[in-house]
């Protein structure tokens, strides 16, 4: 019988397009063809795949061919290993020859094939060093391709080419460092996903993977959590990074990302062999309490920790960490056990309450089932908690006496789950809290070294959570809020009298502040307030300790909020003195307190208590300035220089490292405590947003200063300020009309302050976005088949104060042209950029037609403003004819103003009401005076040059009408140039591709 004829390469590729199920059989056939015709196989294959390389669209048939080519190239059948390796190297060489093609489809398919082959090759496959180096060079070049899909496939191709070096951390690898650089700079989410999936895992790269858990894209965040789940062992992740990943993942709004984070936590639990306490300890429950508690709740939610089984473990004697029912001589609870049992008890109580609520509202069998579930949860809760309130108090007291205040604080909320109806229990609880609040401040290193859960008192550097919990419990166990406040004030007085140290004074002031934070005005009497001022606040503000002064100023501000500003103005005077002449930490608290008082009573009411100039020394002249001026002066202060000078570069590097681990939380906390500029900026932003134009004397100047601060602030060093302003401006742009008007009023001052910077174009773009961010619903009526149909659509709402703003911008631009032309190159560029920014903003402001105004005088005034603005813009467009972008925007602004004015009105005799010559004369006079003054920032010379006429509004109207009649006409302010001949885009044709085929 004659031998069976082998199919051709083209026939095999055609069949590979049909289905993936036949690929294994086709690989064997293709291997046979390669073995039978070794000399002509590669050229024939390359010729046959040319149509696939030219296919940019991810068509199903093309994708199947690509998968088949990858499978075939990577296959190494027994007995043909050398032949397969030789073909693989030649085929990859052919593909790399096409990696620089002009056609994006070819670059995409080449990178896709190279990535697929490299990732499919087995560990026994061999590639020459020359090809390895060439692939690395070519794919690194494609990693910066202008097409996103090419960059994504290049990242996949470079995945297996990364070299860990001798230490295996990939810190010196070119590919890895390129990946890390692009992760922060890449704008396309698919490329970031591809890089994240290709990045080698090591101690060097794990922080960057965790950083992507707060990426802007939901898909990238999910891939980051999947990478942490499948590729990163929990032991290789630092404690801070574990806590950051858990905290971000469980706080996710996206269900898909949160599900991936829960899968990561379950994988970590499996790594600890199901030991929940070991997982909580790996998160460091003391330093990351919220992350540890969230992890336990997530495990309960997904069913990995069953509450009924946990409750049953207590009577069985196998409770995790010993449980809450402990003997008096038992060892202290660990911090992770305390967090675990607190969360378990809270979840049991929440489940019982939810089932009880369902039983109360349900009927029939559902009511019976819900009541049974509620009873089961309550029984489980009673079995987990100590037998009575006294046992729980003994447990809390034991840990508090030994210094394990973190554990004691975890147990304090459990008192709410116990029966506190007994007066004896409440008395014992109050006695416990009283004794702990009166205790002298203690640092963590002063306690026993073998005790876990030791925390410092607030005055010794603690976070104040222990004292806050004690005050909360104190309020719960007293009959009234007044009794609780009196008890806490008595503890504060005892600290001053019995201890008498600066730390004790700061601790006492902090306790008083905790009471005032949630204290209604009627709770504390005037005598108690005067006693508080006499014993705590007044001695505190004059203390030599900055920590005491800070707490005294904070307490004074809270007292002013709760009890009001007295007629003597002591509160305001002390706060203003602290703002003007104290250390940064005290000044920041003072600025925040003054801002809160101004929110309640108004800045003008506070300024009424300022001392007169005669009462102040020359060095204290700042005390007489309005609050607005004092806060604005503070906004311009640099933050961080003094701290760096005092602590040195090591402290700054430590903060930078903490920022990388916590996502900027460390920098934000430090900024809140020590940045006067941030506190003042937040105070001004809240004032403007809350009180609008009545907030300060010149609200537009304040908003303009905040705009400048928004673009100049260093988000890495001052994340809190950057976040505040990023929220403030969209909020004020969508606020009521009186607040939105401030955006228009502050636009020109903001551009003037930014004119000498290179970022004036960004300022103009952002202001244009704010002015056009609001929408309004408009009804449109359309007659169809004799029936009038009404539809509603959203359009951009006109900017409040837009007409006056556009006119001011046009006059400003015209005034710039009246000054002498700059000679220095830098000044020339700045001037052009300033005019372009003015024109861009003028063209982008949405204007309301004056026909919506009902009053005739208002319409006439608006028409006069718009006519003057249009005349100024037209004149400026003619004077800057060499600046095409500015001319285009100025022309658009003229058309927008003319459209807002509508048809020119006429008097009874048919003559036009608007006198264009008179308007032109007034505009010229105003702009000449403006150019001769100090308001226009550029050019620097204020001398007015000889004027020459520009365009007119009539000419621009005629051009617009001609353009509407003939759309092919171009309306440029400059003479039209002959159109450049268009050439066809150069692409890689099939004939050209054949030149790269390996013979």
């Amino acid at each position: 019988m004659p031998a069976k004829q082998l199919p051709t390469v083209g026939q095999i590729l055609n069949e590979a397009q049909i289905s993936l199920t036949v690929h294994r059989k086709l690989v064997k056939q293709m291997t046979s063809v390669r073995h039978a015709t070794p000399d002509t196989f590669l050229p024939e294959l390359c010729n046959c795949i040319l149509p696939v390389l030219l296919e940019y669209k991810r068509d199903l048939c093309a994708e199947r061919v690509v998968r088949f080519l990858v499978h075939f190239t990577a296959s190494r059948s027994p007995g043909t290993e050398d032949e397969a390796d030789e073909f693989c190297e030649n085929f990859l060489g052919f593909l790399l020859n096409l990696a620089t093609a002009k056609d994006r489809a070819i670059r995409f398919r080449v990178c896709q094939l190279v990535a697929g082959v490299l990732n499919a090759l087995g560990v026994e496959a061999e590639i020459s060093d020359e090809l390895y180096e060439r692939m690395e060079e070519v794919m690194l070049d494609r990693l910066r391709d202008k097409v996103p899909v090419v960059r994504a496939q290049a990242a996949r191709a470079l995945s297996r080419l990364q070299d860990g070096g001798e230490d295996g951390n990939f810190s010196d690898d070119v590919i890895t460092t390129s990946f890390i650089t692009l992760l922060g700079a890449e704008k396309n989410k698919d490329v970031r996903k591809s890089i994240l999936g290709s990045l080698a895992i090591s101690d060097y790269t794990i922080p960057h993977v965790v950083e992507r858990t707060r990426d802007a894209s939901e898909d990238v965040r999910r891939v980051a959590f999947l990478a942490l789940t499948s590729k990163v062992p929990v032991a290789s992740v630092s404690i801070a990074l574990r806590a950051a990943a858990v905290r971000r993942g469980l706080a996710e709004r996206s269900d898909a990302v949160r599900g991936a984070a829960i899968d990561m936590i379950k994988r970590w639990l499996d790594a600890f062999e199901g030991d929940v306490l070991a997982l909580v300890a790996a998160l460091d429950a003391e330093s990351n309490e919220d992350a540890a508690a969230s992890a336990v709740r997530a495990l309960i939610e997904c069913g990995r920790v069953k509450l009924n089984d946990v409750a049953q473990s207590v009577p069985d004697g196998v409770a995790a960490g010993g449980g809450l029912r402990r003997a008096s001589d038992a060892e202290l609870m660990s911090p992770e056990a305390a967090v675990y049992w607190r969360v378990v008890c809270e979840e049991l109580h929440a489940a019982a309450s939810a089932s009880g609520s369902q039983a109360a509202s349900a009927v029939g069998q559902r009511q019976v089932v819900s009541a049974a579930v509620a009873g089961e949860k309550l029984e489980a809760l009673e079995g987990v908690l100590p037998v009575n309130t006294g046992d729980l108090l003994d447990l809390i007291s034991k840990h508090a006496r030994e210094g394990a205040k973190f554990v004691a604080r975890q147990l304090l909320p459990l008192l709410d789950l116990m029966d506190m109806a007994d007066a004896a229990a409440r008395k014992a609880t109050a006695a416990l809290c009283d004794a702990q609040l009166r205790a002298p401040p203690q640092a963590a290193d002063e306690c026993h070294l073998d005790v876990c859960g030791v925390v410092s008192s607030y005055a010794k550097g603690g976070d104040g959570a222990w004292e806050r919990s004690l005050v909360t419990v104190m309020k719960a166990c007293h009959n009234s809020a007044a009794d609780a406040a009196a008890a806490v004030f008595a503890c504060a007085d005892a600290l001053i009298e019995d201890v008498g140290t600066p730390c004790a004074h700061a601790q006492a002031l902090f306790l008083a502040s905790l009471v005032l934070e949630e204290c209604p005005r009627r709770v504390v009497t005037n005598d108690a307030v005067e006693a508080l001022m006499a014993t705590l606040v007044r001695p505190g503000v004059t203390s030599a300790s900055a920590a005491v002064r800070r707490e005294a100023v904070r307490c004074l501000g809270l007292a002013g909020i709760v009890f009001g500003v007295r007629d003597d103005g002591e509160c305001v005077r002390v706060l203003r003195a602290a703002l003007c002449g104290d250390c940064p930490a005290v000044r920041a608290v003072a600025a925040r307190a003054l801002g809160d008082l101004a929110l309640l009573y108004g800045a003008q009411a506070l300024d009424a208590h300022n001392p007169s100039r005669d009462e102040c020394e020359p060095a204290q002249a700042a005390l007489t300035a309005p609050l607005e001026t004092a806060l604005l002066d503070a906004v311009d202060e640099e933050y961080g220089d003094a701290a760096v000078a005092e602590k040195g570069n090591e402290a700054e590097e430590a903060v930078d490292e903490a920022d990388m681990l916590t996502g900027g939380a460390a920098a934000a906390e430090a900024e809140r405590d020590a940045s006067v500029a941030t506190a003042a900026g937040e105070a001004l932003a809240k004032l403007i947003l809350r009180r609008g134009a009545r907030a300060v004397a010149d609200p537009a100047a304040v908003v303009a200063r905040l705009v400048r601060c928004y673009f100049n602030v260093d988000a890495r060093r001052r994340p809190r300020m950057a976040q505040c302003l990023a929220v403030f401006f969209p909020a004020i742009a969508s606020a009521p009309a009186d607040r939105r008007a401030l955006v228009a009023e502050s636009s020109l001052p903001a551009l003037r302050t930014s004119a000498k910077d290179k970022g004036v174009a960004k300022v103009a773009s952002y202001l244009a976005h704010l002015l056009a961010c609001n929408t309004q619903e408009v009804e449109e009526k359309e007659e169809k088949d004799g029936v009038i149909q009404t539809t509603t659509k959203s359009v951009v709402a006109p900017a409040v104060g837009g007409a006056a703003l556009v006119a001011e911008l046009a006059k400003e631009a015209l005034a710039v042209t009246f000054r002498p032309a700059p000679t220095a190159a830098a000044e020339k560029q700045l001037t052009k950029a300033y005019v372009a920014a003015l024109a861009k903003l003028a063209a982008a402001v949405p204007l309301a037609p004056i026909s919506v105004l009902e009053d005739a005088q208002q319409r006439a005034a608006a028409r006069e403003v718009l006519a003057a603005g249009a005349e100024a813009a037209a004149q400026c467009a003619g004077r800057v004819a060499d600046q095409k972008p500015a001319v285009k925007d100025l022309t658009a602004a003229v058309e927008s103003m003319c459209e807002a004015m509508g048809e020119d009105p006429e008097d009874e005799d048919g003559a036009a009401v608007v006198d264009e010559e008179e308007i032109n004369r007034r505009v010229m006079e105003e702009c000449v005076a403006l150019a001769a003054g100090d308001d226009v920032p550029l050019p620097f010379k204020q001398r007015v040059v000889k004027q020459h006429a520009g365009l007119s509004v009539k000419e621009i109207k005629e051009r617009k009408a001609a353009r509407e009649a003939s759309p092919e006409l171009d309306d440029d302010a400059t003479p039209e140039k002959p159109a450049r001949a268009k050439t066809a885009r150069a692409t890689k044709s099939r004939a050209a591709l054949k030149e790269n085929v390996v013979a």
Side-chain angles (χ1 to χ4, degrees):
M1 293 180 62
K4 185 177 180 181
Q5 185 177 3
L6 293 174
T8 63
V9 174
Q11 291 173 345
I12 295 175
L13 293 177
N14 287 336
E15 192 172 351
Q17 302 179 53
I18 299 175
S19 175
L20 298 176
T21 57
V22 298
H23 280 191
R24 181 173 298 181
K25 180 190 71 173
L26 296 178
V27 167
K28 295 180 180 179
Q29 293 180 2
M30 189 71 85
T31 303
S32 301
V33 175
R34 183 183 65 193
H35 183 71
T37 58
D39 296 333
T40 60
F41 175 75
L42 183 58
E44 184 180 0
L45 175 65
C46 295
N47 284 325
C48 291
I49 66 172
L50 295 183
V52 178
L53 297 180
L54 292 168
E55 182 64 37
Y56 181 73
K57 184 179 179 182
R58 304 198 72 163
D59 184 71
L60 183 60
C61 295
E63 292 299 315
R64 286 173 179 167
V65 172
V66 170
R67 291 187 62 177
F68 169 74
L69 290 172
V70 169
H71 189 187
F72 167 68
T73 307
S75 64
R76 302 173 80 249
S77 303
T80 63
E81 290 84 354
D82 295 339
E83 177 185 327
D85 291 342
E86 181 182 359
F87 166 75
C88 178
E89 187 155 342
N90 292 333
F91 185 60
L92 289 176
F94 160 74
L95 293 175
L96 294 178
N97 289 336
L98 303 178
T100 57
K102 293 183 179 180
D103 195 331
R104 61 177 183 175
I106 300 173
R107 301 197 304 275
F108 162 57
R109 292 298 179 183
V110 165
C111 293
Q112 184 185 25
L113 284 168
V114 173
V117 171
L118 287 179
N119 290 317
L121 285 175
V123 294
E124 69 281 356
E126 296 181 359
I127 296 178
S128 65
D129 294 340
E130 181 182 355
L131 180 62
Y132 182 95
E133 296 174 357
R134 188 181 175 202
M135 281 192 298
E136 179 180 351
E137 179 183 357
V138 172
M139 289 299 108
L140 278 175
D141 187 43
R142 290 304 97 211
L143 196 61
R144 291 164 178 79
D145 196 278
K146 63 181 180 181
V147 181
V149 290
V150 178
R151 299 197 298 271
Q153 295 300 327
R156 291 184 59 242
L158 291 169
S159 175
R160 293 187 65 178
L161 300 181
Q162 299 174 84
D163 184 8
E166 296 180 358
D167 52 1
N169 67 349
F170 295 89
S171 59
D172 297 329
D173 183 60
V174 178
I175 298 175
T176 306
T177 54
S178 299
F179 279 168
I180 292 174
T181 302
L182 287 177
L183 268 179
E186 178 58 54
K187 296 182 179 180
N188 188 275
K189 66 176 183 178
D190 294 326
V191 180
R192 296 199 302 274
K193 284 170 54 179
S194 181
I195 294 175
L196 200 57
S198 303
L199 186 65
I201 298 301
S202 68
D203 294 340
Y204 172 67
T205 59
I206 287 176
H208 301 282
V209 177
V210 176
E211 179 68 15
R212 288 301 101 195
T213 57
R214 61 190 188 113
D215 192 275
S217 171
E218 171 184 323
D219 296 336
V220 178
R221 298 196 302 271
R222 180 174 175 272
V223 170
F225 282 110
L226 292 177
L228 291 173
T229 303
S230 59
K231 299 168 62 175
V232 183
V234 63
S236 301
V237 187
S238 66
I239 293 176
L241 292 178
R242 294 173 197 160
V246 171
R247 188 180 297 110
R248 296 168 189 167
L250 297 182
E252 268 287 344
R253 292 173 291 182
S254 170
D255 294 337
V257 180
R258 191 173 188 275
I262 293 177
D263 291 340
M264 177 192 68
I265 296 174
K266 291 192 290 185
R267 181 67 176 270
W268 289 359
L269 182 63
D270 294 337
F272 291 107
E273 299 179 352
D275 189 352
V276 182
L277 294 188
L279 174 61
V280 176
L283 295 173
D284 190 2
E286 292 184 65
S287 302
N288 306 292
E289 177 189 346
D290 56 342
S294 300
V296 176
R297 288 193 180 92
L299 292 173
I300 295 174
E301 177 186 346
C302 68
R304 291 298 298 270
V305 175
K306 295 179 173 56
L307 294 177
N308 292 336
D309 296 343
V310 174
Q312 185 61 36
S313 67
V314 177
D316 293 344
V318 291
L324 297 174
R325 297 191 172 189
R326 313 169 72 89
S328 58
D329 58 347
E331 63 181 9
L332 298 178
M333 292 183 69
S334 63
E336 53 269 17
V339 173
Y340 172 74
W341 285 107
R342 174 179 67 83
V343 174
V344 166
C345 293
E346 290 174 350
E347 291 298 314
L348 280 171
H349 181 264
S353 300
S355 299
S357 300
Q358 292 178 2
S361 59
V363 294
Q365 189 64 27
R366 182 176 298 178
Q367 181 184 17
V368 176
V369 173
S370 299
V373 172
E376 180 183 1
K377 298 298 182 184
L378 287 175
E379 183 179 354
L381 179 60
E382 291 177 358
V384 169
L385 290 171
V387 177
N388 52 52
T389 307
D391 292 345
L392 180 57
L393 288 174
D394 292 340
L395 186 62
I396 296 173
S397 300
K398 177 182 178 180
H399 286 84
R401 286 195 307 270
E402 296 294 334
K405 295 180 181 179
F406 177 84
V407 178
R409 181 168 64 83
Q410 301 303 313
L411 300 177
L412 277 176
L414 301 184
L415 289 169
D416 294 337
L417 309 181
M418 304 292 291
D419 184 11
M420 297 291 291
D422 187 9
R426 295 199 303 273
K427 185 177 180 180
T429 304
L432 169 65
C433 296
D434 187 87
Q436 292 299 320
L437 290 175
R438 291 172 182 264
Q442 190 177 27
D445 54 4
E446 298 175 3
C447 299
H448 299 293
L449 296 178
D450 56 347
V451 176
C452 297
V454 177
V455 295
S456 300
S457 301
Y458 176 80
K460 291 286 189 175
D463 57 0
W466 168 243
E467 292 83 358
R468 194 178 298 274
S469 298
L470 290 173
V471 171
T472 302
V473 174
M474 183 76 85
K475 293 178 182 178
C477 60
H478 280 81
N479 294 327
S480 64
D483 294 340
V488 176
F489 286 150
C491 295
D493 293 338
L495 283 172
I496 297 294
E497 296 173 359
D498 299 341
V499 183
T501 62
C503 286
H505 198 167
Q507 184 83 359
L509 286 166
F510 177 66
L511 295 180
S513 300
L514 291 178
V515 176
L516 295 177
E517 282 180 354
E518 300 179 0
C519 179
R521 180 171 298 184
R522 63 181 182 276
V523 169
V524 182
T525 62
N526 292 332
D527 294 338
V529 175
E530 185 58 35
L532 175 66
M533 295 290 295
T535 59
L536 292 178
V537 178
R538 292 192 185 102
V541 296
T542 58
S543 173
S545 172
V548 177
R549 295 199 305 274
R550 183 186 70 236
E551 295 303 322
V553 168
R554 180 170 177 266
C555 188
L556 179 62
L558 289 171
I561 292 174
V562 175
F563 308 113
V565 178
R566 298 185 178 184
D567 295 337
D568 57 3
E570 178 186 11
C571 176
V572 177
R573 289 171 180 262
V574 172
L575 291 177
R576 287 296 303 271
L579 176 62
C580 293
D582 213 315
C583 65
V586 181
R587 296 179 62 206
V589 176
R592 197 170 292 112
L594 286 169
D596 293 339
L597 290 174
L599 277 177
L600 291 175
Y601 309 112
Q604 293 79 6
L606 301 186
D607 291 338
H609 299 288
N610 288 351
S612 63
R613 294 185 180 273
D614 298 336
E615 299 176 2
C616 296
E617 299 179 0
Q620 298 177 335
L623 296 177
T624 63
L627 178 61
E628 168 191 358
T629 304
L631 292 177
L632 284 176
D633 292 341
V635 167
D636 291 335
E637 293 185 13
E638 291 292 334
Y639 161 66
D641 296 340
V644 172
E646 293 177 3
K647 299 182 180 180
N649 295 330
E650 295 181 359
E652 188 178 15
E653 293 175 359
V655 173
D656 291 343
E657 183 179 358
D659 291 343
M660 185 179 67
L661 297 178
T662 60
E669 184 178 357
E671 179 189 3
R672 183 185 186 277
D673 294 338
S675 175
V676 187
T678 298
E682 290 178 350
L684 289 171
K686 289 189 290 186
L687 267 176
I688 296 296
L689 194 58
R690 175 70 180 272
R691 289 182 166 263
R694 300 179 293 105
V696 291
D698 192 358
V702 174
V703 177
R705 186 76 66 87
L706 292 178
V707 170
R708 177 186 175 186
C709 183
Y710 176 68
F711 283 94
N712 293 340
V713 67
D714 185 355
R716 194 178 70 88
R717 295 180 62 192
R718 298 175 61 186
R720 186 180 179 91
M721 185 65 167
Q723 178 66 19
C724 170
L725 296 179
V727 174
F728 165 71
F729 286 113
I732 195 174
S734 57
D738 60 330
R739 273 75 162 175
R740 296 203 307 270
L742 295 177
V743 180
E745 294 174 8
S746 63
S747 294
L748 183 56
L751 289 177
R752 285 174 173 173
T753 57
S754 305
K756 299 178 183 179
D757 301 328
K758 294 183 179 180
V760 65
K762 294 182 179 180
V763 177
S765 298
Y766 188 65
L767 291 172
H769 164 70
L770 294 178
L771 291 168
C773 66
N774 292 307
T775 60
Q776 62 181 8
E777 301 294 330
V778 177
E779 292 186 355
E780 290 187 352
K781 295 182 179 181
E782 181 181 2
E783 184 176 354
K784 187 175 183 180
D785 299 334
V787 178
I788 299 178
Q789 298 179 352
T790 303
T791 58
T792 303
K793 69 175 184 178
S794 297
V795 297
V796 177
V800 180
L805 172 61
V806 175
E808 291 176 358
L809 294 172
K811 293 176 183 177
E812 180 87 358
L814 182 58
V816 171
T817 65
F818 285 163
R819 287 192 175 179
T823 56
E827 184 182 356
K828 186 180 298 184
Q829 292 295 330
L830 290 175
T831 303
K832 287 186 176 180
Y834 184 51
V835 173
L838 292 170
K840 182 177 183 179
L841 183 56
V845 176
L847 300 177
I850 63 175
S851 58
V852 300
L853 301 175
E854 297 180 358
D855 186 66
Q857 293 182 352
Q858 293 180 355
R859 288 198 301 272
R863 182 181 298 277
E864 186 174 350
V865 170
L866 290 172
E871 183 66 29
Q875 291 290 335
C876 183
R879 296 173 66 89
V880 294
D882 58 332
Q883 304 177 29
K884 277 196 170 183
V887 171
K888 182 178 179 181
D889 289 333
L890 288 169
T891 303
V894 173
E895 295 174 357
S896 176
M897 287 183 277
C898 292
E899 183 178 355
M901 286 188 291
E903 297 294 334
D904 294 334
E906 298 179 353
D907 57 12
E908 297 179 356
D909 299 332
V913 174
V914 179
D915 189 350
E916 293 185 0
E917 294 183 358
E918 176 64 20
I919 290 177
N920 185 23
R921 184 187 63 79
R922 282 188 296 172
V923 166
M924 289 298 178
E925 291 179 354
E926 292 179 11
C927 292
V928 168
L930 189 61
D934 299 331
D935 293 335
V936 178
L938 291 169
F940 298 132
K941 295 181 180 179
Q942 299 178 1
R943 180 172 55 85
V944 179
V945 299
K946 183 179 179 180
Q947 307 172 20
H948 63 271
L951 296 176
S952 65
V953 177
K954 184 177 181 181
E955 291 175 346
I956 293 181
K957 285 184 177 180
E958 292 176 352
R959 290 188 178 188
K960 181 181 179 182
R963 185 175 66 250
E964 292 176 350
S966 302
E968 66 275 5
L969 293 179
D970 185 19
D971 182 29
D972 271 342
T974 56
E976 295 185 356
K977 297 181 180 180
R980 183 181 301 175
K982 295 184 179 180
T983 57
R985 183 181 178 184
T987 58
K988 203 75 166 174
S989 64
R990 179 167 181 154
L993 285 173
K994 291 183 179 180
E995 298 177 359
N996 292 294
V997 176
V998 180

